[in-house]
Amino acid sequence: MSTSMLRNNIALRAALRTAAPQATKAFSTTAPTRALATLPDLPYDYGALEPAISGRIMELHHTKHHQTYVTNYNTVQSQITDALSAGDTAAAIALQPALTFHGGGNLNHTLFFENLAPKNQGGGQPPSGPLAKSIETHYGSFEKMKTQFVAALAGIQGSGWAWLVQDNETGALGIRQYANQDPVVGKFSPLLGIDAWEHAYYLQYENRKAEYFKEIWGVINWKVAEARMK
Amino acid sequence: MSTSILRSTTALRTALRTAAPQTTKAFSTTAPTRALATLPDLPYDYGALEPAISGRIMELHHTKHHQTYVTNYNTVQSQITDALSTGNTAAAIALQPALTFHGGGNLNHTLFFENLAPKKQGGGQPPSGPLAKSIEMHYGSFDKMKTQFVAALAGIQGSGWAWLVQDNETGALGIRQYANQDPVVGKFTPLLGIDAWEHAYYLQYENRKAEYFKEIWGVVNWKVAEGRMK
């Protein structure tokens, strides 16, 4: 079309503009709000997981360790949001390890406490539905899966977690180690996590972590793990 | 020189060969031996560092944690030596993280237990010689150095250590965090280390690590630290 037509024809230009495809907005243009985390309650008493995990450990783990991750996650997320609103990209990027650590700590502990249960709430009951089938497919048997899970836990060098995960593309199960508070994100979905940080067991098991990795199976909530499957 | 001369005179060729510079041998050609580590004794009783560190912690830390690093370091170093002797470079390289972890664990704990002392053996006595001067030069005062050291300890996310180190080139002091059992090697020399792994304090201080990072100064052996200066 001749440019002189567009230059002289306001109506034509307006019509073209309206007909142009709208750029898809991938984000909200309203002001961001803060979604401050709060410490979720446990669905059981602190002492309810004994003798696998002592009441003192559960109380400290929840009210001190998890609470601190919640508090610090809220601080860090606010700092990041503020940095981004002020256009301070460098500051936001510098805060990312802290977000991974505290945000990951909050995610991990939330999932962990949910995937534990007292015996009288089904803790320790092996899975029976689709998760049981998938475990058999990928590991041969529930016992073989446990053996690999325990090996993964025992092999952590430093602080970390082992998770039964599901591959988001293939649906396949896997067992993976995550260092420090790195959360299960990206390629995998977390199904069941076990905390291998020393604070998770030291008051009761001291250096005998192999015992903890053996006893904890008695309080695993496989129903919750199965519900996390996709 | 004409090749016909070299070809025809054995004596000449021999003389040339003998005159050629010997390549300097940077390693022994005799068969390698194993230098198996043993657990060093503590220079004080397990209970001697109380109330800063409990006797139970010292006993477990020494007889279980440190001993395990010694045992596993010996296994790993033997596996590496064997892999290298059979020309299996890939296997030797694959063992490097394990050497860092167990070998580092042995180094770190050996240095750590040496740089602690009961009060009656000088534990907690501030330094007075060249180390004191250097601390004043680099930090302004002994207390300012302690403040930074404690901040480094408190900031560790996961398992690790904080060390007062000396720069091998400049002699300058520094405080550095090391993750897991990564030892102080390369650019820096370790002067004083403090273990921030949870097993170092949890039985006594539980989650209250700030208390541990405060109390431990009462049993630090600054004479040993000064002895490590270059």
Side-chain angles (χ1 to χ4, degrees):
Chain A
M1 194 181 292
S2 160
T3 49
S4 59
M5 276 178 78
L6 284 173
R7 213 177 357 238
N8 300 327
N9 193 332
I10 296 169
L12 182 56
R13 288 202 309 273
L16 280 168
R17 210 178 301 126
T18 323
Q22 293 286 338
T24 315
K25 288 217 178 72
F27 48 85
S28 151
T29 46
T30 55
T33 53
R34 297 213 199 283
L36 295 183
T38 55
L39 180 68
D41 284 332
L42 298 188
Y44 40 78
D45 291 339
Y46 290 131
L49 302 186
E50 288 181 353
I53 309 176
S54 73
R56 181 59 174 161
I57 286 180
M58 290 307 295
E59 184 182 7
L60 286 172
H61 209 171
H62 186 240
T63 64
K64 303 295 180 188
H65 293 274
H66 191 181
Q67 177 65 73
T68 301
Y69 285 118
V70 169
T71 303
N72 292 341
Y73 166 61
N74 287 337
T75 301
V76 169
Q77 66 157 318
S78 304
Q79 290 171 334
I80 289 176
T81 312
D82 289 348
L84 291 173
S85 340
D88 195 346
T89 316
I93 290 171
L95 286 161
Q96 290 190 109
L99 181 68
T100 298
F101 186 65
H102 299 296
N106 182 33
L107 284 173
N108 291 336
H109 287 87
T110 300
L111 293 171
F112 177 54
F113 295 139
E114 282 173 0
N115 66 227
L116 298 175
K119 282 200 173 347
N120 64 16
Q121 279 175 39
Q125 284 279 337
S128 50
L131 181 53
K133 281 195 175 56
S134 196
I135 287 172
E136 226 178 83
T137 305
H138 292 99
Y139 294 97
S141 73
F142 182 66
E143 289 303 319
K144 286 181 181 169
M145 181 279 299
K146 270 173 61 175
T147 300
Q148 288 206 34
F149 207 133
V150 169
L153 286 161
I156 291 166
Q157 297 183 339
S159 299
W161 295 70
W163 289 87
L164 180 70
V165 301
Q166 194 172 19
D167 185 304
N168 291 330
E169 275 179 49
T170 66
L173 296 186
I175 290 165
R176 301 177 70 80
Q177 296 166 332
Y178 286 75
N180 304 319
Q181 293 297 351
D182 295 352
V184 179
V185 295
K187 239 175 90 73
F188 302 100
S189 288
L191 298 185
L192 183 87
I194 294 181
D195 193 347
W197 279 61
E198 287 172 331
H199 65 244
Y201 62 85
Y202 210 90
L203 286 180
Q204 178 177 355
Y205 293 94
E206 292 173 337
N207 61 296
R208 304 179 311 278
K209 55 185 179 173
E211 269 183 53
Y212 162 67
F213 297 147
K214 178 166 172 278
E215 296 303 315
I216 196 167
W217 298 101
V219 290
I220 296 295
N221 188 334
W222 285 106
K223 280 197 168 34
V224 160
E226 187 166 72
R228 293 172 180 162
M229 287 181 81
K230 302 196 170 182
Chain B
M1 192 182 288
S2 161
T3 48
S4 59
I5 296 178
L6 286 171
R7 214 183 350 245
S8 55
T9 312
T10 311
L12 182 56
R13 289 201 308 271
T14 308
L16 280 169
R17 212 180 297 127
T18 323
Q22 293 286 338
T23 35
T24 315
K25 288 217 180 77
F27 48 87
S28 152
T29 47
T30 55
T33 53
R34 296 212 199 285
L36 295 183
T38 55
L39 181 68
D41 284 334
L42 298 188
Y44 40 78
D45 290 339
Y46 290 132
L49 302 185
E50 287 181 354
I53 309 177
S54 73
R56 182 60 175 161
I57 286 179
M58 290 307 295
E59 184 182 7
L60 285 172
H61 209 170
H62 186 239
T63 65
K64 303 294 180 188
H65 293 274
H66 191 181
Q67 176 66 72
T68 302
Y69 285 117
V70 168
T71 304
N72 291 342
Y73 166 61
N74 287 336
T75 300
V76 170
Q77 65 156 316
S78 304
Q79 290 172 334
I80 289 175
T81 313
D82 289 348
L84 292 172
S85 348
T86 57
N88 195 344
T89 316
I93 290 172
L95 286 161
Q96 289 189 110
L99 181 68
T100 298
F101 186 66
H102 299 295
N106 182 33
L107 285 172
N108 290 336
H109 287 86
T110 300
L111 293 171
F112 177 55
F113 294 138
E114 282 174 359
N115 66 225
L116 299 175
K119 281 199 175 345
K120 63 177 178 11
Q121 279 175 37
Q125 285 278 338
S128 50
L131 181 52
K133 281 195 175 58
S134 196
I135 287 173
E136 223 178 89
M137 207 164 60
H138 291 99
Y139 294 97
S141 73
F142 181 66
D143 278 339
K144 285 183 182 169
M145 181 278 299
K146 271 172 59 174
T147 300
Q148 287 206 34
F149 207 134
V150 169
L153 286 162
I156 291 166
Q157 296 183 340
S159 299
W161 295 69
W163 289 87
L164 181 70
V165 302
Q166 196 174 18
D167 185 304
N168 293 331
E169 276 179 49
T170 66
L173 295 185
I175 290 165
R176 301 178 69 82
Q177 296 168 331
Y178 286 75
N180 303 318
Q181 293 297 350
D182 295 351
V184 180
V185 296
K187 239 175 90 75
F188 301 100
T189 292
L191 299 185
L192 184 88
I194 293 181
D195 192 352
W197 279 62
E198 287 172 332
H199 65 243
Y201 62 85
Y202 210 90
L203 286 181
Q204 179 177 356
Y205 292 94
E206 294 174 336
N207 61 296
R208 304 180 310 281
K209 54 185 180 175
E211 269 182 54
Y212 162 68
F213 297 147
K214 177 167 172 278
E215 296 302 314
I216 196 166
W217 298 102
V219 290
V220 167
N221 188 334
W222 286 105
K223 280 198 167 34
V224 160
E226 189 166 71
R228 294 173 181 162
M229 286 181 83
K230 305 203 165 173

